Amino acid sequence: MTPFLAASELAGLQDFCQRHNFPSFRARQIASWLYEHCVTDPEDMKNLPAAIRSALKEEFLAPGTVIAENSKSSGEVEKLLLRLFDGECIEMVIIPSEKRLTFCLSTQVGCPVGCYFCASGRNGLTRNLSAGEMLEEFCIGTRRAGRPDNLVFMGIGEGLLNFEQLAVTLNTLVDKFTFSPRRITVSTSGFVPGMEKFASLKREFNLAVSLHAPDDETRSKLIPPKLRYPVAEVLRAADRIAEANNRQYTLEYTLIEGINDSPSHAEKLGKLAFSHHAKINLIPYNETGGPFRRPQPEVIDRFEKTAADTGARITRRIERGAKGTAACGQLRAAGNKKIQENN
Ligand code: SAH
Ligand code: SF4
């Protein structure tokens, strides 16, 4: 397969220059465009002669990904629909706040976990993203909005089921793009074998575990059995990661009416988080056209208070993306529908 320029190493670029009889300092220039300026299109590498630019375009996917659509919702959250080299689409979200800029990145086209409430997994997995594609998401976002303060792998897909490419992406972000691992968060639905590999990276990445339920019975209403692991095993794996990475982890809790929003769920969740030294992040459900509903505001408030009363640290996901097609996977679903309608 044609390699992505965005995932190239300096050694590979030096090899490219040697094969084409280009002077070796050109490799460092290309690397600098990539890693310092996030430029992936040779046409924009202004100090390169035309012959090098066209050779790069011939040998690499440079770039492999383009912006197909953007949807601004209130609060200036920007959702980008990205078209990949093979015509598939993914999303990334640019989330500015007063204090920091966050990018939410996708790891797969679709998702094999298929949580019942999530638009991303509705049609299963199409394919994994390569490291080059994940790095291009980062580069596209940076060129558009500036260098982010935080990166969260919480877009489409279960990154820990695409571990090898995710690990290359994470290590490249730290080693080449000089991004601090403490500012990168990987979110998982609790895929334990992947969590074990993530612990073995032994870097200070953050972990977010999509627990959504303090007990297995409730969790079985949200996540299909195929890739679901018991709550106790998931938390054990998360504890090991916290130890290996030297970071406290987050329990994400998508709050859904009548399923996981009772005071007893809140109390059990608070106790679990407290005893595992984890933070809770409450995500009021964004409705996606299925049967699940977001609880009433007073139910969300009560849940938050009950969980906090156990002594656990709890925050609520900022809701500036709640309008339009803001929920995970919805823009891609809408984009695919449009593409089908046009065919
Ligand atoms: N697969 C990973 C990361 C992507 S999903 C995981 O599940 O953690 C990122 C987060 O978005 C998860 O916590 C998921 O539960 C949440 N999410 C998905 N669809 C949602 C929706 N419609 N409303 C609110 N949260 C949603
Ligand atoms: Fe996949 Fe995460 Fe959506 Fe579940 S919530 S289907 S794991 S993307």
Side-chain angles (χ1 to χ4, degrees):
M1 198 196 128
T2 315
F4 282 83
L5 187 58
S8 298
E9 301 263 347
L10 183 60
L13 296 170
Q14 279 163 340
D15 174 63
F16 161 83
C17 287
Q18 215 167 21
R19 276 186 288 108
H20 290 270
N21 284 327
F22 298 138
S24 66
F25 76 91
R26 296 295 186 189
R28 282 193 305 279
Q29 279 180 324
I30 302 166
S32 150
W33 279 113
L34 268 180
Y35 302 135
E36 286 164 41
H37 304 284
C38 286
V39 168
T40 52
D41 187 341
E43 292 309 321
D44 297 329
M45 300 183 175
K46 301 292 181 206
N47 55 2
L48 296 184
I52 301 187
R53 293 202 301 250
S54 64
L56 280 171
K57 278 221 159 277
E58 263 171 42
E59 261 186 49
F60 295 94
L61 282 167
T65 308
V66 294
I67 299 175
E69 210 176 288
N70 65 316
S71 91
K72 283 235 172 191
S73 77
S74 60
E76 298 306 299
V77 169
E78 186 177 26
K79 201 163 231 211
L80 302 180
L81 183 71
L82 304 180
R83 182 163 302 120
L84 307 172
F85 73 97
D86 60 356
E88 294 295 341
C89 286
I90 51 161
E91 296 171 14
M92 70 162 289
V93 192
I94 296 174
I95 311 159
S97 75
E98 262 166 42
K99 289 201 197 116
R100 48 185 174 260
L101 178 65
T102 303
F103 293 170
C104 176
L105 307 180
S106 293
T107 57
Q108 297 183 308
V109 182
C111 179
V113 182
C115 300
Y116 303 124
F117 59 87
C118 174
S120 297
R122 211 153 276 166
N123 296 313
L125 176 73
T126 303
R127 68 169 176 86
N128 281 327
L129 291 185
S130 65
E133 289 171 312
M134 289 184 261
L135 292 166
E136 280 199 352
E137 289 181 68
F138 170 75
C139 290
I140 287 172
T142 303
R143 292 199 306 271
R144 201 166 172 88
R147 192 163 159 102
D149 302 289
N150 293 310
L151 292 178
V152 296
F153 286 86
M154 287 186 190
I156 298 172
E158 168 55 52
L160 295 185
L161 280 163
N162 181 17
F163 181 78
E164 208 180 296
Q165 292 300 306
L166 181 68
V168 172
T169 307
L170 294 171
N171 287 330
T172 307
L173 285 167
V174 175
D175 299 332
K176 303 291 192 311
F177 288 90
T178 62
F179 208 87
S180 164
R182 292 168 159 252
R183 294 185 170 275
I184 299 178
T185 300
V186 172
S187 177
T188 178
S189 58
F191 177 61
V192 169
M195 293 173 79
E196 274 154 15
K197 291 185 195 162
F198 185 60
S200 72
L201 292 178
K202 288 203 165 49
R203 297 186 97 155
E204 288 180 306
F205 297 118
N206 299 294
L207 173 76
V209 180
S210 294
L211 200 68
H212 307 321
D215 60 85
D216 291 315
E217 201 212 320
T218 309
R219 210 158 181 265
S220 70
K221 295 178 186 163
L222 298 167
I223 307 179
K226 196 173 55 158
L227 291 162
R228 187 183 69 236
Y229 286 77
V231 169
E233 268 185 51
V234 172
L235 292 177
R236 252 198 309 277
D239 288 345
R240 278 198 291 274
I241 294 170
E243 206 171 298
N245 294 12
N246 197 22
R247 306 291 285 160
Q248 195 180 27
Y249 61 90
T250 303
L251 295 176
E252 289 168 282
Y253 199 95
T254 298
L255 204 56
I256 302 179
E257 186 178 79
I259 304 272
N260 63 358
D261 62 345
S262 74
S264 106
H265 286 121
E267 195 184 334
K268 276 200 241 167
L269 173 71
K271 285 182 175 160
L272 269 185
F274 187 78
S275 63
H276 285 266
H277 307 290
K279 303 168 272 187
I280 301 167
N281 188 23
L282 216 52
I283 313 171
Y285 184 59
N286 283 316
E287 295 177 14
T288 63
F292 295 102
R293 296 282 164 263
R294 169 191 289 232
Q296 294 302 313
E298 55 278 13
V299 175
I300 302 174
D301 291 345
R302 185 187 62 192
F303 190 96
E304 186 172 358
K305 189 177 175 310
T306 310
D309 284 346
T310 63
R313 271 181 67 194
I314 180 162
T315 52
R316 202 186 284 195
R317 180 190 271 186
I318 321 161
E319 297 247 43
R320 278 160 308 142
K323 291 230 174 72
T325 50
C328 180
Q330 276 178 277
L331 189 66
R332 173 171 171 261
N336 280 347
K337 195 159 161 260
K338 221 183 292 173
I339 289 162
Q340 277 160 13
E341 277 164 8
N342 289 341
N343 280 340

